[in-house]
């Protein structure tokens, strides 16, 4: 029963949205833990987890949504997104970084339905402007039809040192709104980030990529042949009784590497990557500082996230209180405090 899929009956999708849902989110401990990672939590107190918000954002844009997650989290993912076909929730035996997860999805998509355009969008990001996001994805799909790998770059709002940067080059002939990537830059120091914003022409690297599956796997054949061959072997076995044996044999041999280092940076150097800059109200919710940025303070200046009890702030500016299940939390004498409360732990 675990290998039943409707892939033979479903029409070939034009655009497949892939959601890599991995990682632990250790900077958000004790909220996010290995058995309950941040993408499975209603981290913002909005009645939906980050994964559920991501699926809801992508479902209107895509013929099909494919999720790649860890084997230990597959059951929880299925429980949270009942509208996603269980056959389209792919479980990794162990983390091998973003390139293996995205390549596995590309290989399975292409094996099931033939070449398609796919986009990869992480499960732990939040976007305020869904309409702007939809427009950016549509532009990226159009650009990907010409054979480019396309990334959606975030127009920076501050000289952040938390993100990598994309140098925006010349505009493409078509579509309007897409540009050649001149270069990717690793997370800069504060002075470099400030200089980038002053000069203009840079976008944050949000790790969103849109490409034809054949293009993505073709570049991988050249640059990471072991990984490319491995995911194709796994894809051929995925909907058969040989899946588990093939995974156990092949998955540990795949190179552990990010998509930035495996493809984006070297292919950009060859002139094969485009960028669609966009202002989306985007955040990568990776730490408590970002969590505070995406939350509004109350009348007392307290940032309250999923906390429904009293908060007392004395000589304390902008405290952040997360969780707590009705407990009274007092912050006295220091600013920008973070208090995260769960049933079994308290972080200050």
């Amino acid at each position: 029963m675990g290998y039943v899929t409707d892939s033979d009956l479903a029409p070939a999708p034009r655009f497949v949205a892939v959601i890599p849902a991995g990682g632990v989110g250790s900077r958000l401990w004790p909220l996010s833990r290995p058995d309950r990672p941040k993408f499975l939590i209603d981290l913002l107190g909005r009645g939906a987890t980050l994964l559920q918000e991501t699926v809801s954002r992508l479902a209107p844009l895509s013929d099909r949504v494919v999720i790649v997650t860890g084997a230990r989290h597959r059951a929880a993912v299925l429980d949270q997104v009942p509208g996603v076909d269980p056959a389209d929730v792919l479980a990794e035996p162990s983390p091998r970084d973003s390139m293996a997860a995205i390549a596995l999805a590309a290989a399975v998509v292409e094996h099931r339905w033939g070449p398609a355009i796919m986009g990869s969008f992480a499960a732990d990001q939040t976007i305020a402007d869904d309409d702007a996001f939809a427009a950016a994805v549509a532009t990226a799909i159009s650009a990907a039809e010409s054979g480019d790998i396309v990334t959606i770059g975030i127009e920076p709002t501050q000289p952040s040192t938390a993100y990598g940067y994309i140098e925006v080059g010349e505009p493409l002939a078509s579509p309007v709104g897409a540009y050649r990537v001149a270069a990717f830059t690793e997370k800069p120091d504060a002075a470099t980030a400030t200089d980038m914003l002053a000069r203009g022409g840079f976008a944050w690297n949000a790790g969103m990529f849109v490409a034809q599956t054949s293009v993505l796997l073709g570049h991988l054949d050249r640059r990471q042949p072991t990984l490319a061959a491995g995911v194709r072997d796994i894809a051929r076995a995925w909907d058969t009784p040989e899946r588990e044996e093939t995974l156990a044999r092949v998955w540990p041999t795949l190179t552990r590497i990010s998509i930035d280092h495996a493809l984006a940076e070297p292919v950009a150097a060859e002139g094969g990557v485009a960028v669609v800059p966009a202002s989306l109200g985007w955040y990568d919710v990776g730490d408590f500082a970002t969590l505070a940025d995406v939350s509004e303070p109350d009348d007392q200046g307290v940032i309250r996230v999923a906390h429904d009890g009293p908060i007392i702030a004395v000589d304390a500016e902008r405290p952040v209180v997360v969780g707590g299940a009705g407990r009274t939390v007092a912050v006295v004498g220091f600013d920008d405090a973070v208090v995260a409360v769960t049933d079994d732990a308290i972080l200050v």
Side-chain angles (χ1 to χ4, degrees):
M1 294 296 292
Y3 304 100
V4 174
T5 175
D6 64 356
S7 58
D8 291 333
L9 303 177
R14 176 175 182 268
F15 174 60
V16 179
V18 173
I19 303 175
V24 175
S26 57
R27 289 176 295 169
L28 286 166
W29 186 94
L31 305 178
S32 181
R33 309 188 192 191
D35 60 339
R36 189 186 59 181
K38 60 183 177 179
F39 61 84
L40 293 174
I41 303 171
D42 179 9
L43 200 57
L44 303 176
R46 300 198 293 220
T49 67
L50 293 176
L51 174 63
Q52 289 170 327
E53 288 191 356
T54 304
V55 170
S56 295
R57 186 183 308 124
L58 289 168
L61 312 181
S62 178
D63 299 312
R64 205 163 192 105
V65 174
V66 173
I67 300 172
V68 184
T69 193
R72 68 187 300 185
H73 301 132
R74 185 174 187 272
V77 167
L78 289 171
D79 184 59
Q80 287 200 2
V81 288
V84 175
D85 189 328
D88 294 336
V89 178
L90 313 181
E92 302 176 298
S94 61
R96 306 295 302 173
D97 216 327
S98 60
M99 190 69 261
I102 294 167
L104 172 64
V108 170
V109 165
E110 191 164 282
H111 183 72
R112 285 178 173 173
W113 302 301
I117 293 177
M118 62 170 269
S120 174
F121 309 92
D124 57 358
Q125 300 177 354
T126 182
I127 289 172
D129 192 337
D130 286 350
D131 290 339
F133 174 72
V137 172
T139 302
I141 291 171
S142 180
E145 288 173 344
S146 67
D148 283 320
I149 294 175
V150 187
T151 184
I152 297 175
I154 306 301
E155 295 182 2
T157 58
Q158 59 183 331
S160 175
T161 60
Y163 311 124
Y165 283 71
I166 302 164
E167 185 176 355
V168 180
E170 295 298 316
L172 303 188
S174 177
V176 174
Y179 301 79
R180 185 62 55 206
V181 169
F184 286 88
T185 301
E186 296 286 346
K187 296 176 183 178
D189 58 30
T192 302
T194 300
D195 178 65
M196 287 177 172
L197 259 66
R199 286 189 286 138
F202 290 87
W204 286 338
N205 180 8
M208 303 181 196
F209 293 96
V210 177
Q212 298 176 42
T213 54
S214 58
V215 169
L216 188 147
L217 292 170
H219 284 303
L220 212 58
D221 283 332
R222 294 188 301 117
R223 298 201 161 272
Q224 296 288 334
T226 300
L227 201 161
V231 294
R232 284 195 171 98
D233 285 346
I234 294 169
R236 283 189 288 269
W238 195 268
D239 296 316
T240 77
E242 283 74 47
R243 178 200 302 175
E244 297 306 323
E245 183 277 328
T246 305
L247 272 173
R249 174 171 48 83
V250 177
W251 188 258
T253 71
L254 302 184
T255 305
R256 188 188 294 266
I257 189 172
S258 70
I259 187 172
D260 295 280
H261 292 155
L263 290 188
E265 294 171 6
V267 176
E270 299 171 346
V273 180
V275 59
V276 177
S279 178
L280 308 177
W282 170 91
Y283 287 92
D284 179 359
V285 189
D287 54 29
F288 287 106
T290 306
L291 192 57
D293 287 340
V294 300
S295 305
E296 290 293 328
D298 64 16
D299 294 340
Q300 296 178 316
V302 174
I303 297 173
R304 179 192 301 262
V305 182
H307 179 89
D308 55 4
I311 299 175
I312 301 168
V314 179
D315 295 329
E317 296 291 332
R318 199 177 163 82
V320 180
V321 179
V322 187
R327 298 185 191 180
T328 298
V329 174
V331 181
V332 180
F334 61 103
D335 299 335
D336 298 316
V338 174
V339 181
V341 184
T342 65
D343 291 341
D344 64 344
I346 299 175
L347 170 74
V348 179

